[in-house]
Amino acid sequence: MEKLLEAVHLKKYFKTPHGMLHAVDDVSFSVEKGKTVGIVGESGCGKSTLGRTLIHLLESTDGKIYFHGEDITRVDAHQLHKLRENMQIIFQDPFSSLNPRMTTSETIEEPLKLTKRYSSSEIQEIAAKMMETVGLDERLRHAYPHELDGGRRQRIGIARALILNPEFVVCDEPVSALDVSIQAQILNLMQDLQEERGFTYVFITHDLSVVRHISDEICVMYLGQMIEKCGAKELFENPIHPYTKALLSAIPVPDIHIQRKRIILKGEITSPVEPKPGCRFAARCPYCKEECSEPQVLTDMGGGHLAACIRAKEING
């Protein structure tokens, strides 16, 4: 399969009064065309920063980003304008991501107007078809965001992101602010559109049940670093990294007769500001030993299952 997007040793640091905050630190992964890669981890792990850096909403500190094999790490305004048509984002909050002074149709039509390639009648026709595609009734064309519920607002966000038929879409927790029943509708809609139009997704979430449902491959992040990467089914059946095991143990089970052993993490979370070399999970890891103070790198544990844990083989037998 063709690699649509690839990040190589990508870094994004932020300056603070106490030093550099390592939000994304030496992350490497790729996304195949037409596939979905899930990025999971607890709040503050850097997954949203990673997604925004990939599409140049934030500029990287170091590393490389390739799109169709072309280096897009540093682009000028003209190149960025062209990239925007092929790389889009669906934001987490369906209310704050919409302009409160723009109607549904104005919001969806805006990307088409910015290209300056379509006539007014073409813009209205394309926007009307997209509204129908994402399940927005024609009567809502002149509605403002405050007049709509969360599910409809998120459908507007999806329509706006997909109106130009981008190849690559970052989905930044697009269903976390919605009710469970609406979540299912939005996820099914996104999968149907991917199948129909061949979209490629990076799906960012902290909800492991959601990421299992939608992803082909899953990457687990912890304090700015990628610590495990493999196929979605493989991750749930055979987690290797101690942090991934703890995450999976926290998933609620809908059967009261099944008793799952919950792994409770203890210890202090390492500061992401000027972190020391070595495993950043070590302070909370029940298997930590002296060798964990050495730098950890993603290593193939067999069958393309990558994990950044020096003791992984010993822990997993």
Side-chain angles (χ1 to χ4, degrees):
M1 288 288 287
E2 178 196 349
K3 284 182 185 176
L4 181 69
L5 182 128
E6 185 175 15
V8 181
H9 303 298
L10 194 63
K11 298 179 181 180
K12 177 60 185 174
Y13 297 167
F14 294 96
K15 195 173 183 179
T16 75
H18 305 290
M20 299 302 287
L21 188 151
H22 294 209
V24 176
D25 202 1
D26 201 18
V27 166
S28 298
F29 76 109
S30 62
V31 191
E32 291 181 355
K33 189 173 176 63
K35 300 290 186 182
T36 300
V37 171
I39 310 285
V40 301
E42 59 197 1
S43 297
C45 72
K47 53 189 186 296
S48 290
T49 302
L50 172 61
R52 289 167 187 240
T53 304
L54 290 174
I55 63 168
H56 288 280
L57 284 182
L58 296 170
E59 291 303 322
S60 60
T61 304
D62 198 6
K64 295 286 185 185
I65 306 168
Y66 296 94
F67 189 65
H68 281 300
E70 181 185 342
D71 187 350
I72 61 162
T73 314
R74 297 283 178 261
V75 290
D76 58 30
H78 176 69
Q79 290 170 313
L80 184 59
H81 186 74
K82 286 185 72 177
L83 270 178
R84 282 280 178 265
E85 295 188 29
N86 273 323
M87 305 176 84
Q88 283 289 331
I89 185 168
I90 301 168
F91 293 99
Q92 177 178 357
D93 187 343
F95 189 66
S96 64
S97 65
L98 300 178
N99 188 331
R101 297 184 178 184
M102 291 175 72
T103 63
T104 299
S105 59
E106 287 171 339
T107 299
I108 296 172
E109 290 170 5
E110 188 180 28
L112 294 169
K113 291 176 181 176
L114 290 173
T115 66
K116 298 180 180 177
R117 291 202 306 265
Y118 302 93
S119 66
S120 294
S121 59
E122 286 175 325
I123 288 172
Q124 289 177 14
E125 184 182 339
I126 295 168
K129 283 182 181 175
M130 180 53 78
M131 281 185 65
E132 185 181 343
T133 299
V134 299
L136 286 167
D137 199 286
E138 202 274 335
R139 65 186 172 82
L140 301 174
R141 284 186 70 247
H142 302 296
Y144 288 92
H146 72 272
E147 298 175 311
L148 303 171
D149 59 33
R152 287 192 176 97
R153 286 197 288 257
Q154 194 59 290
R155 288 172 191 269
I156 294 171
I158 291 170
R160 177 181 59 184
L162 304 184
I163 190 77
L164 294 174
N165 277 322
E167 292 181 87
F168 178 70
V169 184
V170 172
C171 311
D172 187 6
E173 305 213 34
V175 296
S176 63
L178 307 176
D179 294 337
V180 175
S181 59
I182 306 298
Q183 283 185 14
Q185 292 176 21
I186 297 297
L187 288 172
N188 290 334
L189 168 64
M190 291 176 66
Q191 286 183 302
D192 289 344
L193 289 171
Q194 182 180 41
E195 197 173 308
E196 180 186 321
R197 303 191 181 197
F199 295 130
T200 303
Y201 295 144
V202 160
F203 196 94
I204 296 164
T205 183
H206 60 266
D207 189 330
L208 288 157
S209 301
V210 166
V211 83
R212 183 179 194 174
H213 176 70
I214 200 168
S215 302
D216 297 293
E217 190 174 54
I218 298 176
C219 302
V220 183
M221 286 188 70
Y222 185 79
L223 285 182
Q225 294 185 325
M226 200 162 282
I227 60 168
E228 189 159 358
K229 181 162 78 80
C230 63
K233 187 178 179 184
E234 168 71 10
L235 187 85
F236 281 82
E237 291 180 354
N238 182 34
I240 289 177
H241 198 284
Y243 175 67
T244 309
K245 290 173 182 281
L247 272 185
L248 296 181
S249 77
I251 301 174
V253 179
D255 190 338
I256 60 170
H257 301 294
I258 296 176
Q259 295 239 332
R260 173 176 278 171
K261 187 180 178 184
R262 177 75 193 276
I263 300 171
I264 306 296
L265 296 176
K266 298 176 181 177
E268 197 70 32
I269 297 175
T270 303
S271 172
V273 178
E274 302 292 355
K276 296 176 183 176
C279 179
R280 293 180 189 176
F281 184 61
R284 303 169 75 193
C285 181
Y287 307 102
C288 178
K289 285 193 175 178
E290 193 176 332
E291 60 260 40
C292 297
S293 61
E294 299 172 19
Q296 311 287 306
V297 294
L298 278 174
T299 306
D300 195 332
M301 300 294 171
H305 191 147
L306 308 181
C309 178
I310 206 165
R311 300 197 61 225
K313 289 187 177 176
E314 183 185 342
I315 292 166
N316 292 280

